[in-house]
Amino acid sequence: SRQWLQWLSSRLPAFDALALYRVEANSAQLQTALPDGHGFDARHAKLALSCIDALKVLVSQDQEHSKVGSIAVPLKINYAASEFVMIFYGPLLDAAALKSMVQLVRWAAFYLHENAMLGAPPTATSTVGEGKDSVDDFSASVLRAVASSHSFDALCISIVNAIARISGSARVSLGSVGHREETVLAISGHAQLDPKRLLVKQIGAAMHGALLESPAIYPISHDASEVADVLTTDVGVKPRAQQALFELSGSQPSVAICLPTYTPASRSQEYVLLLEAPAGKALSAERIHMLEKTLAPIANLLMLYRESEAPVYVRLWTRLREYFKLPGTQQSWSLSKKLTLALPCILVVLALWPTQHRVSARAYIEAADRQVLVAAQAGYIKSSHARAGDRVNEGELLATLDITDLALEADKWRTEQSKNAQAYRQALAIHDRAELSRLRADAARIDTELAQVKQQLLRSELRAPFTGVLLSGDLNQMLGAPVEQGQVLYEIGSAEQYRLIVEVDEHDIGYVAADQGLAVKMSSLPSLQWDATVQNILPVALAEQGKSVFRLPALIAGDTDLLKPGMQGVAKIHIGDQSVLWVWTHVVVDRLRFLAWKLGLY
């Protein structure tokens, strides 16, 4: 483990000290540390225990220096509980650097975990090749290959080359095997692979047999058959693909080893290593056992590396498959297969299942009869007797204007009328015909002016033209204020007859027709619903709030006592039955079709 720490420290950012803790029975024991004199104390042991309990990386800042602290990393595989914790003391890292460091530590932990480097050191007989290199040397070689690889393909090539060099194999191949196809990822001594070559195809076929029996050995020697009797499910099945590879490669014995993974969801795609010994050299049982033990962590190493390069949606899909994978169910690939088969069925059902197509529109209530009351002439407000919201009867006085100027003008014309009458009598007495003609014309003019003033005096009183409700107008705050001729003072609507106005967007007006039914709810009465019928389609669009709408009158059925002019709500116009898929997508499809036509795409 100390050798492992030394190798790891050379690959990591500069830390002041590293320590490896072993957690057993709620206690953390220091296994080894670099350098020896660094003071790892009870605080670090407590941090190691907390790290195992939380099963995640923990960062603890130093009380004296905020930029210095301890980082605890659980040595685990795919979030399985681990008994060991690495603690790094020194400058704290940013998020990106910390993620890279944790990834490298966990990759190295696979070999640390599988090859017993945390416990008793491997014996001298624990060799991979022909007594040349130990398990430690083999693991270090693979880790060096990992450290020097910057992509998944480079990692595969580095691994097969390292295994071929350390194990003494004539050729080592790495592949990914599924239930229907196999892919050769790397072959030792080959920088690039041509999948059309016969050798590559034959190696892939030989790897496929490892899904049924691992290790798949050919030819099966006396010693190797003992291994096969224990580890395979059907020894009698002759590995025909390996036999063909044996004949093609010049009588090189081979063993195909299916690498175990620690996540059940990964069983849909397994990694297989195919090792070919030099011609005429037998594969011993001890050597095969050692190969299986030593090569076991490579699958998880490859999985982590591939996941780190995968797009976000692929990683999300992998997490979902692992989340929904329950004990006792089928393999995770069956879930994706079911979803793949179910999706077209769901789309067909949605395309055929009928539902009601409804168009939503803004609705409001307005009086059927409306009339405005305006100032008959310029003047001043003298009195006010009603305000908006009041119910008024026909002929009821609503307000009056100041008539002082009109009364003076009426008196002036009455005086002129008296003078004209007196002059007319004098001219009649002396038989002055010319004067009589002039006085008759003046009398007609004076009568007209006086009648006009009297009419203005009558219109200075604003009275309700019919029984109804005042929709707008409140002159109580405007007493004495001047008004101009024609200025709107009141708006009155019928108190008995209301009508519903529905504003339909121009994109939906093509679906609406006269006599279609609709349901409406008012925002002030959300628990009640009224039924109505579209009366007619007015061919006039109004621009409101940046869009064009059509105002359609509708006739309300049933009791309308609770409805008041000015109420607003939402109406749902019943168009007809359509498929669920059409109802959900027709808006987007119509917009895209119009956009394509606008851009000249068709």
Side-chain angles (χ1 to χ4, degrees), residues 467-523:
T467 300
V469 178
L470 291 180
L471 303 179
S472 64
D474 186 1
L475 304 182
N476 289 329
Q477 307 297 327
M478 298 177 60
L479 296 179
V483 293
E484 297 180 357
Q485 184 177 5
Q487 181 177 341
V488 177
L489 301 180
Y490 288 102
E491 183 178 3
I492 186 172
S494 174
E496 303 298 333
Q497 297 181 354
Y498 303 140
R499 67 175 180 175
L500 176 66
I501 299 298
V502 180
E503 292 185 349
V504 181
D505 190 274
E506 63 174 336
H507 295 96
D508 298 323
I509 194 63
Y511 300 110
V512 182
D515 298 329
Q516 286 180 336
L518 60 92
V520 63
K521 285 190 176 184
M522 297 297 166
S523 57

Side-chain angles (χ1 to χ4, degrees), residues 358-394:
R358 300 188 299 179
V359 171
S360 297
R362 175 176 172 265
Y364 57 90
I365 301 296
E366 67 176 18
D369 297 326
R370 303 177 67 179
Q371 185 173 337
V372 294
L373 303 179
V374 300
Q377 65 277 332
Y380 300 89
I381 298 175
K382 182 178 182 180
S383 64
S384 176
H385 305 284
R387 64 178 63 183
D390 293 345
R391 287 180 173 268
V392 294
N393 297 320
E394 183 179 358

Side-chain angles (χ1 to χ4, degrees), residues 138-194:
F138 181 81
S139 302
S141 298
V142 175
L143 287 176
R144 281 194 295 270
V146 172
S148 61
S149 302
H150 302 288
S151 66
F152 179 77
D153 295 336
L155 175 64
C156 294
I157 295 175
S158 299
I159 287 177
V160 294
N161 288 334
I163 295 175
R165 183 177 64 255
I166 300 299
S167 65
S169 300
R171 182 167 53 214
V172 177
S173 305
L174 174 64
S176 175
V177 181
H179 292 277
R180 291 188 177 181
E181 60 180 359
E182 54 277 345
T183 303
V184 179
L185 301 174
I187 300 177
S188 61
H190 292 70
Q192 293 182 348
L193 299 180
D194 185 4

Side-chain angles (χ1 to χ4, degrees), residues 96-109:
L98 179 61
K99 181 179 179 181
S100 300
M101 184 202 72
V102 171
Q103 189 178 49
L104 181 58
V105 172
R106 286 177 175 170
W107 285 343

Side-chain angles (χ1 to χ4, degrees), residues 249-261:
S249 61
S251 303
Q252 292 183 171
S254 63
V255 54
I257 302 175
C258 186
L259 304 178
T261 55

